[in-house]
Amino acid sequence: MALGQRLELKQGQGLVITPQLQQAIKLLQLSNLELEAVVEAELEKNPLLQREDPEPVAETGQDSERETFETDGRELELGDGDSLRAGSDLDASNSDLYGDEAPTVREPDSAASSADMSDGPMVDWSKAGKGGGSFDGDEDMERALTREKTLQEHLTDQALIAGFSAPEMAIAQVLIDGVDEGGYLRADLSEISDRLGCDPALIEAVLATCHGFEPTGVMARSVPECLKLQLIERNRFDPAMEALIDNLELLARRDLSALRKVCGVDDEDLSDMIRELKALTPRPGAAFGSEPSQTVVPDVFVRQDATGGWRVDLNTDTLPRVLVDQKYHAQVVGGARSSEEKSYLSECLNQANWLIKSLDQRARTILKVSSEIVRQQDAFLVYGVEHLRPLNLKTVADAVGMHESTISRVTSNKYVSTPRGVFELKFFFTSSIQSNDGSEAHSAESVRHKIKNLIDGEKSSGEILSDDRIVEILKEAGVDIARRTVAKYREALRIPSSVERKRQLK
């Protein structure tokens, strides 16, 4: 067989993911807050981009222009409010579906004594402006004067008056840095000993002193140690209570008979000990200020309109508005002297136009997908979670004419505000559980809700339902479900087994 070389030409089709297409895909899966950060970065590096300041409608006195286009046989309306209306298709009677206030900063009194001023947080006075009348960091100073003291700052203040030597103070500071927001010491003492090059006994001694800090139980290394420190302060840490602390797993299982044997007490004493234990604080550091939790900002609003349908609107307050400064572009292009400068300006113009096009396409895609999800889950909006329908990415993708991966990106990190609350878009995608009577399949989320309602009703009925009994009740209601699936859903809801619930009932 002879070997040789030859040149061949083949023609084929392929998708090349350009940098612009990669940017569009990236923007699609970002939340509005993340999108704002990306747009800010583009505004900094692209001189042709500028932020658009929306003009109030009352000042312009002009009606907003609206644009209509056809999507899958449905006419959607888009305008300045980026809203979508499909009232007839989303009507509740559709047979296809049923078949912060800012803190007040008080200025310090000029007659305040130096002793009163020393009680507040430390301020770097080196940043004070000349003349004593202004500061470079006024906002930082006001924030320091009005915010709550953190747990680390509270512990550091106590360490400063604990009588530590210089080496002990350094150790105490390292230990305080290892305390989490609940007040527990998560640092490894042996690792600290190796890092600081000191005797482990010295670290234990410093930690023993820190265990006397307020709040009681702080800097404990475990829940039993935290409870022990609080009991010692109350002078209630006796051998029986020590045995109870060492066997908290029996208390969690409500195995009171085993606890009585371990503690060597009768029923009355054990009840008193458990009552004292419940009065303790398992998270002593939770009362102190921490980083404020971020409020979920919905990307889409769903409201019921006058015709009984549903109106889907984008949250335009969080959407960045940018445009190309054509006047500045014409000015700098006319003054360009070299081909490199013209090439740079041309690249900036293309990137700016592509960014605006990507932002517009992102908004339209989110509206189309959100509208289809609302149409599919209209029964949930009207009647509640028990009427949540099984839904997957392929169903929505086929309805809006997109790929499943696009639907996945659109629903990632996006939240929708509905009359029933704020939900992540992925909440509406649930697996299906077949019915045993040939009717429509049930949503896994609705089945979990039914299981929770059955168990919540045990206290009124006095009957503890086993997993097998729950299976029988659900099958009578038309839900074909296995016992292991009931157990999996119950554990996901953090509901104990029937044996543990019986102990709790007793």
Side-chain angles (χ1 to χ4, degrees), residues 97 323 422 480-481:
L97 296 178
L323 49 82
V422 178
D480 187 11
I481 190 172

PDB file of all heavy atoms in Angstrom, residues 97 323 422 480-481:
ATOM      1  N   LEU A  97     -54.794  24.937  30.839  1.00  0.00           N
ATOM      2  CA  LEU A  97     -54.059  24.766  32.086  1.00  0.00           C
ATOM      3  C   LEU A  97     -54.806  23.906  33.072  1.00  0.00           C
ATOM      4  O   LEU A  97     -54.210  23.270  33.930  1.00  0.00           O
ATOM      5  CB  LEU A  97     -53.786  26.130  32.728  1.00  0.00           C
ATOM      6  CG  LEU A  97     -52.886  27.067  31.922  1.00  0.00           C
ATOM      7  CD1 LEU A  97     -52.748  28.386  32.648  1.00  0.00           C
ATOM      8  CD2 LEU A  97     -51.521  26.435  31.723  1.00  0.00           C
ATOM      9  N   LEU A 323     -25.861  54.190  26.501  1.00  0.00           N
ATOM     10  CA  LEU A 323     -26.004  54.552  25.094  1.00  0.00           C
ATOM     11  C   LEU A 323     -24.653  55.004  24.543  1.00  0.00           C
ATOM     12  O   LEU A 323     -23.700  55.247  25.303  1.00  0.00           O
ATOM     13  CB  LEU A 323     -27.060  55.651  24.906  1.00  0.00           C
ATOM     14  CG  LEU A 323     -26.978  56.902  25.795  1.00  0.00           C
ATOM     15  CD1 LEU A 323     -25.978  57.902  25.264  1.00  0.00           C
ATOM     16  CD2 LEU A 323     -28.357  57.557  25.884  1.00  0.00           C
ATOM     17  N   VAL A 422     -41.862  36.219  46.511  1.00  0.00           N
ATOM     18  CA  VAL A 422     -40.713  36.293  45.608  1.00  0.00           C
ATOM     19  C   VAL A 422     -40.097  34.907  45.497  1.00  0.00           C
ATOM     20  O   VAL A 422     -39.780  34.275  46.512  1.00  0.00           O
ATOM     21  CB  VAL A 422     -39.675  37.316  46.119  1.00  0.00           C
ATOM     22  CG1 VAL A 422     -38.472  37.357  45.194  1.00  0.00           C
ATOM     23  CG2 VAL A 422     -40.303  38.700  46.231  1.00  0.00           C
ATOM     24  N   ASP A 480     -49.070   8.391  42.777  1.00  0.00           N
ATOM     25  CA  ASP A 480     -48.347   7.116  42.773  1.00  0.00           C
ATOM     26  C   ASP A 480     -46.914   7.382  43.212  1.00  0.00           C
ATOM     27  O   ASP A 480     -46.086   7.856  42.431  1.00  0.00           O
ATOM     28  CB  ASP A 480     -48.379   6.502  41.371  1.00  0.00           C
ATOM     29  CG  ASP A 480     -47.787   5.092  41.348  1.00  0.00           C
ATOM     30  OD1 ASP A 480     -47.548   4.543  42.441  1.00  0.00           O
ATOM     31  OD2 ASP A 480     -47.557   4.557  40.242  1.00  0.00           O
ATOM     32  N   ILE A 481     -46.603   7.068  44.462  1.00  0.00           N
ATOM     33  CA  ILE A 481     -45.305   7.408  45.040  1.00  0.00           C
ATOM     34  C   ILE A 481     -44.796   6.240  45.874  1.00  0.00           C
ATOM     35  O   ILE A 481     -45.584   5.482  46.464  1.00  0.00           O
ATOM     36  CB  ILE A 481     -45.414   8.689  45.905  1.00  0.00           C
ATOM     37  CG1 ILE A 481     -44.035   9.200  46.310  1.00  0.00           C
ATOM     38  CG2 ILE A 481     -46.310   8.469  47.108  1.00  0.00           C
ATOM     39  CD1 ILE A 481     -44.073  10.567  46.990  1.00  0.00           C
TER      40      ILE A 481
END
